[in-house]
Amino acid sequence: MKILIQHRHLKHEIAGVLTYIDAITPELEKSGVTVQTVSTRADKILQWVKLIAGADIVHMNSNDLLFALLCKLLTKKIIIKYHYCFYQSIHSRYEQMTFFQRLKTEFYRTLPKSNYPLKWKLFTLVKWARLATRITTALVANSHTACSNFLGESCAFPWKVATLYNPITVRSPIQQKQLNTLANPHKFVFVGRLDKDKGVDIILQAASILKKENRQFQIEIIGDGPKAAELKQLTSDLELTNCVTFLGKLPNSEVIVKLQDALALVAPSRWQDPAPYVVLEAASTQTCAIVSQMGGLPEMAGSQGFFFENEDFRGLATCMRYCLEHPEEVIQRGVMASQYVAEKFSAHGAATQLLDICQQLIPMSNSQLVNAQLR
């Protein structure tokens, strides 16, 4: 079987989609599948056509309508995977709705306010065109998957959307995480873009509560973004400069090292983050997560995580306080989180699930099926 995997990223770009493709490709090849990739952002249209024509099935990872129509023109089946929220109206607040209710909500959500400048009123037409493109691409696809249960459910489609998790490799540790290997005083880590959606200010407000209780702890903020200067000023205003460190952007290898000796990861997102990869990365180092109950965050953290309501910095402070008072339990939760992601988010499992969907769309011959199973 020949699978063509489409994405819209540049070769060396850091993106969850590319991480997903890099993880499943070796597993697919182990099953005897020939895998090729195409970037609809970097490659020419003639290259698209050539690769589509040579494939048995196409796995899309974006809502590229022109590419999808070319696949249909060349009679190729499409498996599409959704990695990001389909609608703007669920960005910060989500309610279950039927497909047509969701479209109505999206329509009203994108209407411009009466005091908007003319250019922003006209931009509404662009938003509607983009929505129409996403919906048309979805209608063209033969099978639909999403990177989390939350994301699949939030699409509200009248057809099935299977959950196809983004995998992560969890290597067997030389030894289980121990209390004496953790940073002292105990450390909480945030990893992500420094903007309002990510909720770093919520961590700082929670830290202020703990500081007033004379608790000993450290917080490391990894990442950069438009709110960096504002967050540093807030840190100073709250008198947290002795316990909060801004490390800027770090290579992934260094992020992993920082997570290894942390007591817990903190992910206080305000937006409906569909499948935050950093929670899985933390679990891969036997570090559990404290997350807001938004989007796919609870799903990625599993039952081993700690949860608080969106925007509730007092609730976050309660979780952090509990971690400081019960570090042994927190370490054990991290070990269980590692086991959880190893079982549920394996590359082999994702590749096997993708092949099962391929089999449903274009059944292999008996000999092909036997060979794939033997491999």
Side-chain angles (χ1 to χ4, degrees), residues 7-15 17-19 21-22 37-43:
H7 62 86
R8 62 168 69 177
H9 295 280
L10 299 176
K11 186 175 182 181
H12 299 296
E13 193 174 340
I14 298 173
V17 173
L18 296 181
T19 302
I21 294 170
D22 290 343
T37 60
V38 59
S39 169
T40 48
R41 181 178 172 188
D43 296 321

Side-chain angles (χ1 to χ4, degrees), residues 9 24 79 180 198 248 261 331 359 368:
H9 295 280
I24 64 167
I79 302 169
N180 59 10
K198 292 295 186 178
D261 69 346
I331 289 173
Q359 170 69 8
Q368 288 176 314

